[in-house]
Amino acid sequence: MADSEENNALFPIFILSMIALPLVPYTILKLFRAASKKEKNIHCACSDCGQSGKYHKSVFKRVANVSTCGNFTLVLLWVITGFLVHYVKNMSRENQVFEPFSILGIDAGASDNEIKKAYRRLSIQYHPDKNPDPAAHKYFVESISKAYQALTDPISRENFEKYGHPDGRQGFQMGIALPQFLLNIDGASSGILLMWIVGICILLPLVMAAIYLSRASKYTGNNVKNDTLAAYYHLMKPSLAPSKVMEVFTKAAEFLEIPVRRSDDVPLHKLFTTVRSELNIDLKNIKKEQAKFWKQHPALVKAELLIQAHLTRETASLSPDLERDCKRVLEFAPRLLEELMKMAIIPRSSKGHGWLRPAVGVVELSQCIVQAVPLSARKSTAGSTEGIAPFLQLPHFNDDIVKKITRKKVRTFQDFQDMSIQERDELLSQVAELSPPQVVDVEKVMELIPSLTVEVTCGTEGEEGVQEGDVVTVQAWINLSRPNGLIGAIPHTPRYPFHKEENFWFLLADPTSNNVWFSQKVSFMDEVGAISAASAAIEERMEVLGASPKEMSDAVKEGVERVKSGSRLAMGKFLAAAEGHYNLTCYVLCDSWIGVDKKSNLKIRVLKRTRAGTRGGQAVVDEGVEEDEEEIEEEEEDEDVESEYSDDEEEEEEKVNVKKKGVANRKKNGRKGRQSSSDESSGSDED
């Protein structure tokens, strides 16, 4: 064991090493991210977004962003590290290795005469008789005299030149890097050492594990409470109408944490009167419905009223306390809506299908919350399934302006988008009576609104056609374009008080059965992540198809180019349903913009699996003529879809004709048998 003084000197070095090991890489990573962070996503530049203050950072906001708890901890650790470095540096000077040649100022291997001359020269400078300084006296006694004695002694000098130490070869030494008072086992120091070991090695890991497990038991990875997910799962119904999604959304456990004050009773009742038409209340039995509404948990009632105040743009009339509560509710909204969407599309049936109707309702609610548009504005009007909601997301637009422009043959928002800039400017300035700056604001927002197209392919990898129970691969390229040429951009959300990125949901669903066959979330904000995901999916698909390395490389390059040009790949697999024809619909839904969703049809024919289980074999059906006739009628109705499992159509026709003749003969014989039996029965009656 090393001496206690050496162990005490190693303790600061040990602490410095433990702090520096994680601190240096983390700091480099954070600085690299800050240096490489670019403003790829441009936000809206209209006057409404500028006045909202979300994108304008004052000095206090910038200081607040920098002076976070994490940054403060990082700076504090660097201060401690600097202090330890300074302390260790000074300590190393004090504890230098004994070097007699360097102390005397001579080269290694000097002669005895050179050693004596150097000693005399230093004696004149540091001897107590010549220099009364106590430091000089200490240096002369502890260093100069000791070095001279080590070099003048033949054995000491030989050991030093051979082994680097006057005492000869030194053995391997070990020590404990702890302070000296902890190494003193006598007295109370042994208890302190024991407490140190128990606290660092046992208690600290247990406390950290307990904190992590307690939080993990309450929250999911998306920072949503497990109680919220349980409530959403049980309240989600397949026939849930979009107007009823709000009732499920407000049942989140996060809203129960909102404070309920007595001073909020009167403002909330006034707010209820204002937004009553937006609530799902039966006006025929309004008293009973109102009493039922107010019997809910006060925090949930407050949350729903505050959300309706935001949708109807009545937040300016709220008190400061209610306004803070409203911002808190809206802060929870994006991640709660995402989890609610997952509860809608989560596999519920044996085929792994989710529910389409509530999923569309969740996305519509998200659009309305982000754009602060009431749900009633989505009611269908003449020629528009979205109502006037898409127009209300534009700056300076209200109900009166929408009525004015819809009188001029602009029935839908798509018609408004298809107009040229000059025609739109004339419409807004002359018909809507907007000022030139307001017209410019509208055009800035129109340049940010995305236009979507989707290309979908669906089939069984490496096989022809789709049979029952096959693993079907769906591949969808979602293309996004904007008039200003951007791919990723922050949507126009002046009334939503927080930063919100636009996300998209791709759904492959059957509207007739209300089933979602496949779903995937798509984002255009992270190009690097999209490239890596598309490359991995394409490589996996090409590997299944047995492609060569060159073909795989070419396919990956093509996919990367498509991603860079503004496309995203949604790829996945699902089990083929029962035999039949399915008219599916591909939905691309945006959670931020109203009126940009796209739908496209996709027809899939699932054939019955053959008995042999091989592709291209004939499926022999022995269930009667009626079933064969139904199959023939289906083939006549779907002439555009060719069967990939029949090799010779003439043989099929001959088999069907033979079966028909056989059935006809059986029917004929059956009639004769029935006639003879009837004759016998009549004869017996006569007898």
Side-chain angles (χ1 to χ4, degrees), residues 220-234:
T220 63
N222 200 16
N223 202 19
V224 175
K225 287 189 173 183
N226 291 324
D227 295 340
T228 300
L229 295 186
Y232 284 171
Y233 183 84
H234 292 292

mmCIF file with all atom_site columns, all heavy atoms in Angstrom, residues 220-234:
data_model
loop_
_atom_site.group_PDB
_atom_site.id
_atom_site.type_symbol
_atom_site.label_atom_id
_atom_site.label_alt_id
_atom_site.label_comp_id
_atom_site.label_asym_id
_atom_site.label_entity_id
_atom_site.label_seq_id
_atom_site.pdbx_PDB_ins_code
_atom_site.Cartn_x
_atom_site.Cartn_y
_atom_site.Cartn_z
_atom_site.occupancy
_atom_site.B_iso_or_equiv
_atom_site.pdbx_formal_charge
_atom_site.auth_seq_id
_atom_site.auth_comp_id
_atom_site.auth_asym_id
_atom_site.auth_atom_id
_atom_site.pdbx_PDB_model_num
ATOM 1   N N   . THR A 1 220 ? -45.665 7.268  -19.911 1.00 0.00 ? 220 THR A N   1
ATOM 2   C CA  . THR A 1 220 ? -45.169 6.520  -21.051 1.00 0.00 ? 220 THR A CA  1
ATOM 3   C C   . THR A 1 220 ? -43.952 7.226  -21.633 1.00 0.00 ? 220 THR A C   1
ATOM 4   O O   . THR A 1 220 ? -43.501 8.245  -21.122 1.00 0.00 ? 220 THR A O   1
ATOM 5   C CB  . THR A 1 220 ? -46.265 6.407  -22.122 1.00 0.00 ? 220 THR A CB  1
ATOM 6   O OG1 . THR A 1 220 ? -46.597 7.731  -22.589 1.00 0.00 ? 220 THR A OG1 1
ATOM 7   C CG2 . THR A 1 220 ? -47.505 5.760  -21.541 1.00 0.00 ? 220 THR A CG2 1
ATOM 8   N N   . GLY A 1 221 ? -43.443 6.670  -22.740 1.00 0.00 ? 221 GLY A N   1
ATOM 9   C CA  . GLY A 1 221 ? -42.290 7.288  -23.376 1.00 0.00 ? 221 GLY A CA  1
ATOM 10  C C   . GLY A 1 221 ? -42.592 8.647  -23.969 1.00 0.00 ? 221 GLY A C   1
ATOM 11  O O   . GLY A 1 221 ? -41.691 9.462  -24.154 1.00 0.00 ? 221 GLY A O   1
ATOM 12  N N   . ASN A 1 222 ? -43.856 8.915  -24.276 1.00 0.00 ? 222 ASN A N   1
ATOM 13  C CA  . ASN A 1 222 ? -44.263 10.202 -24.835 1.00 0.00 ? 222 ASN A CA  1
ATOM 14  C C   . ASN A 1 222 ? -44.662 11.190 -23.748 1.00 0.00 ? 222 ASN A C   1
ATOM 15  O O   . ASN A 1 222 ? -45.316 12.200 -24.036 1.00 0.00 ? 222 ASN A O   1
ATOM 16  C CB  . ASN A 1 222 ? -45.425 10.004 -25.819 1.00 0.00 ? 222 ASN A CB  1
ATOM 17  C CG  . ASN A 1 222 ? -45.577 11.170 -26.767 1.00 0.00 ? 222 ASN A CG  1
ATOM 18  O OD1 . ASN A 1 222 ? -44.667 11.997 -26.911 1.00 0.00 ? 222 ASN A OD1 1
ATOM 19  N ND2 . ASN A 1 222 ? -46.721 11.260 -27.406 1.00 0.00 ? 222 ASN A ND2 1
ATOM 20  N N   . ASN A 1 223 ? -44.292 10.883 -22.512 1.00 0.00 ? 223 ASN A N   1
ATOM 21  C CA  . ASN A 1 223 ? -44.588 11.749 -21.366 1.00 0.00 ? 223 ASN A CA  1
ATOM 22  C C   . ASN A 1 223 ? -46.097 11.939 -21.176 1.00 0.00 ? 223 ASN A C   1
ATOM 23  O O   . ASN A 1 223 ? -46.578 13.027 -20.859 1.00 0.00 ? 223 ASN A O   1
ATOM 24  C CB  . ASN A 1 223 ? -43.909 13.118 -21.528 1.00 0.00 ? 223 ASN A CB  1
ATOM 25  C CG  . ASN A 1 223 ? -43.736 13.832 -20.197 1.00 0.00 ? 223 ASN A CG  1
ATOM 26  O OD1 . ASN A 1 223 ? -43.784 13.198 -19.134 1.00 0.00 ? 223 ASN A OD1 1
ATOM 27  N ND2 . ASN A 1 223 ? -43.543 15.133 -20.240 1.00 0.00 ? 223 ASN A ND2 1
ATOM 28  N N   . VAL A 1 224 ? -46.835 10.861 -21.369 1.00 0.00 ? 224 VAL A N   1
ATOM 29  C CA  . VAL A 1 224 ? -48.285 10.843 -21.149 1.00 0.00 ? 224 VAL A CA  1
ATOM 30  C C   . VAL A 1 224 ? -48.570 9.818  -20.065 1.00 0.00 ? 224 VAL A C   1
ATOM 31  O O   . VAL A 1 224 ? -47.981 8.728  -20.045 1.00 0.00 ? 224 VAL A O   1
ATOM 32  C CB  . VAL A 1 224 ? -49.045 10.496 -22.440 1.00 0.00 ? 224 VAL A CB  1
ATOM 33  C CG1 . VAL A 1 224 ? -50.540 10.369 -22.175 1.00 0.00 ? 224 VAL A CG1 1
ATOM 34  C CG2 . VAL A 1 224 ? -48.790 11.553 -23.506 1.00 0.00 ? 224 VAL A CG2 1
ATOM 35  N N   . LYS A 1 225 ? -49.477 10.136 -19.176 1.00 0.00 ? 225 LYS A N   1
ATOM 36  C CA  . LYS A 1 225 ? -49.770 9.246  -18.061 1.00 0.00 ? 225 LYS A CA  1
ATOM 37  C C   . LYS A 1 225 ? -50.423 7.950  -18.538 1.00 0.00 ? 225 LYS A C   1
ATOM 38  O O   . LYS A 1 225 ? -51.202 7.939  -19.497 1.00 0.00 ? 225 LYS A O   1
ATOM 39  C CB  . LYS A 1 225 ? -50.694 9.950  -17.063 1.00 0.00 ? 225 LYS A CB  1
ATOM 40  C CG  . LYS A 1 225 ? -50.007 11.037 -16.251 1.00 0.00 ? 225 LYS A CG  1
ATOM 41  C CD  . LYS A 1 225 ? -50.912 11.543 -15.148 1.00 0.00 ? 225 LYS A CD  1
ATOM 42  C CE  . LYS A 1 225 ? -50.168 12.510 -14.228 1.00 0.00 ? 225 LYS A CE  1
ATOM 43  N NZ  . LYS A 1 225 ? -51.002 12.958 -13.105 1.00 0.00 ? 225 LYS A NZ  1
ATOM 44  N N   . ASN A 1 226 ? -50.100 6.877  -17.834 1.00 0.00 ? 226 ASN A N   1
ATOM 45  C CA  . ASN A 1 226 ? -50.705 5.590  -18.158 1.00 0.00 ? 226 ASN A CA  1
ATOM 46  C C   . ASN A 1 226 ? -52.204 5.587  -17.895 1.00 0.00 ? 226 ASN A C   1
ATOM 47  O O   . ASN A 1 226 ? -52.963 4.889  -18.586 1.00 0.00 ? 226 ASN A O   1
ATOM 48  C CB  . ASN A 1 226 ? -50.039 4.476  -17.348 1.00 0.00 ? 226 ASN A CB  1
ATOM 49  C CG  . ASN A 1 226 ? -48.609 4.218  -17.783 1.00 0.00 ? 226 ASN A CG  1
ATOM 50  O OD1 . ASN A 1 226 ? -48.286 4.310  -18.961 1.00 0.00 ? 226 ASN A OD1 1
ATOM 51  N ND2 . ASN A 1 226 ? -47.738 3.904  -16.836 1.00 0.00 ? 226 ASN A ND2 1
ATOM 52  N N   . ASP A 1 227 ? -52.649 6.361  -16.916 1.00 0.00 ? 227 ASP A N   1
ATOM 53  C CA  . ASP A 1 227 ? -54.090 6.470  -16.664 1.00 0.00 ? 227 ASP A CA  1
ATOM 54  C C   . ASP A 1 227 ? -54.808 7.092  -17.856 1.00 0.00 ? 227 ASP A C   1
ATOM 55  O O   . ASP A 1 227 ? -55.943 6.720  -18.176 1.00 0.00 ? 227 ASP A O   1
ATOM 56  C CB  . ASP A 1 227 ? -54.336 7.310  -15.407 1.00 0.00 ? 227 ASP A CB  1
ATOM 57  C CG  . ASP A 1 227 ? -53.796 6.643  -14.154 1.00 0.00 ? 227 ASP A CG  1
ATOM 58  O OD1 . ASP A 1 227 ? -53.587 5.410  -14.186 1.00 0.00 ? 227 ASP A OD1 1
ATOM 59  O OD2 . ASP A 1 227 ? -53.573 7.343  -13.145 1.00 0.00 ? 227 ASP A OD2 1
ATOM 60  N N   . THR A 1 228 ? -54.139 8.021  -18.516 1.00 0.00 ? 228 THR A N   1
ATOM 61  C CA  . THR A 1 228 ? -54.737 8.634  -19.707 1.00 0.00 ? 228 THR A CA  1
ATOM 62  C C   . THR A 1 228 ? -54.896 7.619  -20.823 1.00 0.00 ? 228 THR A C   1
ATOM 63  O O   . THR A 1 228 ? -55.941 7.554  -21.491 1.00 0.00 ? 228 THR A O   1
ATOM 64  C CB  . THR A 1 228 ? -53.867 9.810  -20.178 1.00 0.00 ? 228 THR A CB  1
ATOM 65  O OG1 . THR A 1 228 ? -53.780 10.779 -19.136 1.00 0.00 ? 228 THR A OG1 1
ATOM 66  C CG2 . THR A 1 228 ? -54.444 10.455 -21.420 1.00 0.00 ? 228 THR A CG2 1
ATOM 67  N N   . LEU A 1 229 ? -53.864 6.798  -21.041 1.00 0.00 ? 229 LEU A N   1
ATOM 68  C CA  . LEU A 1 229 ? -53.942 5.784  -22.092 1.00 0.00 ? 229 LEU A CA  1
ATOM 69  C C   . LEU A 1 229 ? -55.046 4.768  -21.784 1.00 0.00 ? 229 LEU A C   1
ATOM 70  O O   . LEU A 1 229 ? -55.763 4.338  -22.700 1.00 0.00 ? 229 LEU A O   1
ATOM 71  C CB  . LEU A 1 229 ? -52.600 5.074  -22.232 1.00 0.00 ? 229 LEU A CB  1
ATOM 72  C CG  . LEU A 1 229 ? -51.418 5.923  -22.700 1.00 0.00 ? 229 LEU A CG  1
ATOM 73  C CD1 . LEU A 1 229 ? -50.199 5.048  -22.923 1.00 0.00 ? 229 LEU A CD1 1
ATOM 74  C CD2 . LEU A 1 229 ? -51.752 6.674  -23.970 1.00 0.00 ? 229 LEU A CD2 1
ATOM 75  N N   . ALA A 1 230 ? -55.179 4.394  -20.519 1.00 0.00 ? 230 ALA A N   1
ATOM 76  C CA  . ALA A 1 230 ? -56.233 3.439  -20.151 1.00 0.00 ? 230 ALA A CA  1
ATOM 77  C C   . ALA A 1 230 ? -57.616 4.032  -20.414 1.00 0.00 ? 230 ALA A C   1
ATOM 78  O O   . ALA A 1 230 ? -58.512 3.350  -20.936 1.00 0.00 ? 230 ALA A O   1
ATOM 79  C CB  . ALA A 1 230 ? -56.078 3.043  -18.685 1.00 0.00 ? 230 ALA A CB  1
ATOM 80  N N   . ALA A 1 231 ? -57.791 5.306  -20.064 1.00 0.00 ? 231 ALA A N   1
ATOM 81  C CA  . ALA A 1 231 ? -59.083 5.957  -20.304 1.00 0.00 ? 231 ALA A CA  1
ATOM 82  C C   . ALA A 1 231 ? -59.365 6.070  -21.798 1.00 0.00 ? 231 ALA A C   1
ATOM 83  O O   . ALA A 1 231 ? -60.491 5.794  -22.252 1.00 0.00 ? 231 ALA A O   1
ATOM 84  C CB  . ALA A 1 231 ? -59.094 7.339  -19.656 1.00 0.00 ? 231 ALA A CB  1
ATOM 85  N N   . TYR A 1 232 ? -58.371 6.452  -22.569 1.00 0.00 ? 232 TYR A N   1
ATOM 86  C CA  . TYR A 1 232 ? -58.562 6.567  -24.019 1.00 0.00 ? 232 TYR A CA  1
ATOM 87  C C   . TYR A 1 232 ? -58.890 5.214  -24.641 1.00 0.00 ? 232 TYR A C   1
ATOM 88  O O   . TYR A 1 232 ? -59.718 5.117  -25.560 1.00 0.00 ? 232 TYR A O   1
ATOM 89  C CB  . TYR A 1 232 ? -57.305 7.145  -24.670 1.00 0.00 ? 232 TYR A CB  1
ATOM 90  C CG  . TYR A 1 232 ? -57.140 8.633  -24.477 1.00 0.00 ? 232 TYR A CG  1
ATOM 91  C CD1 . TYR A 1 232 ? -55.969 9.288  -24.845 1.00 0.00 ? 232 TYR A CD1 1
ATOM 92  C CD2 . TYR A 1 232 ? -58.147 9.408  -23.912 1.00 0.00 ? 232 TYR A CD2 1
ATOM 93  C CE1 . TYR A 1 232 ? -55.810 10.655 -24.679 1.00 0.00 ? 232 TYR A CE1 1
ATOM 94  C CE2 . TYR A 1 232 ? -58.005 10.769 -23.731 1.00 0.00 ? 232 TYR A CE2 1
ATOM 95  C CZ  . TYR A 1 232 ? -56.824 11.386 -24.114 1.00 0.00 ? 232 TYR A CZ  1
ATOM 96  O OH  . TYR A 1 232 ? -56.681 12.745 -23.946 1.00 0.00 ? 232 TYR A OH  1
ATOM 97  N N   . TYR A 1 233 ? -58.231 4.169  -24.178 1.00 0.00 ? 233 TYR A N   1
ATOM 98  C CA  . TYR A 1 233 ? -58.447 2.844  -24.753 1.00 0.00 ? 233 TYR A CA  1
ATOM 99  C C   . TYR A 1 233 ? -59.880 2.368  -24.511 1.00 0.00 ? 233 TYR A C   1
ATOM 100 O O   . TYR A 1 233 ? -60.517 1.807  -25.408 1.00 0.00 ? 233 TYR A O   1
ATOM 101 C CB  . TYR A 1 233 ? -57.454 1.850  -24.161 1.00 0.00 ? 233 TYR A CB  1
ATOM 102 C CG  . TYR A 1 233 ? -57.543 0.471  -24.752 1.00 0.00 ? 233 TYR A CG  1
ATOM 103 C CD1 . TYR A 1 233 ? -56.880 0.156  -25.936 1.00 0.00 ? 233 TYR A CD1 1
ATOM 104 C CD2 . TYR A 1 233 ? -58.288 -0.531 -24.135 1.00 0.00 ? 233 TYR A CD2 1
ATOM 105 C CE1 . TYR A 1 233 ? -56.955 -1.110 -26.496 1.00 0.00 ? 233 TYR A CE1 1
ATOM 106 C CE2 . TYR A 1 233 ? -58.374 -1.805 -24.683 1.00 0.00 ? 233 TYR A CE2 1
ATOM 107 C CZ  . TYR A 1 233 ? -57.710 -2.082 -25.862 1.00 0.00 ? 233 TYR A CZ  1
ATOM 108 O OH  . TYR A 1 233 ? -57.801 -3.338 -26.404 1.00 0.00 ? 233 TYR A OH  1
ATOM 109 N N   . HIS A 1 234 ? -60.408 2.590  -23.320 1.00 0.00 ? 234 HIS A N   1
ATOM 110 C CA  . HIS A 1 234 ? -61.748 2.110  -22.988 1.00 0.00 ? 234 HIS A CA  1
ATOM 111 C C   . HIS A 1 234 ? -62.839 3.011  -23.555 1.00 0.00 ? 234 HIS A C   1
ATOM 112 O O   . HIS A 1 234 ? -63.935 2.524  -23.873 1.00 0.00 ? 234 HIS A O   1
ATOM 113 C CB  . HIS A 1 234 ? -61.902 1.989  -21.468 1.00 0.00 ? 234 HIS A CB  1
ATOM 114 C CG  . HIS A 1 234 ? -61.069 0.899  -20.867 1.00 0.00 ? 234 HIS A CG  1
ATOM 115 N ND1 . HIS A 1 234 ? -61.297 -0.439 -21.095 1.00 0.00 ? 234 HIS A ND1 1
ATOM 116 C CD2 . HIS A 1 234 ? -59.974 0.943  -20.052 1.00 0.00 ? 234 HIS A CD2 1
ATOM 117 C CE1 . HIS A 1 234 ? -60.404 -1.173 -20.444 1.00 0.00 ? 234 HIS A CE1 1
ATOM 118 N NE2 . HIS A 1 234 ? -59.591 -0.358 -19.800 1.00 0.00 ? 234 HIS A NE2 1
#
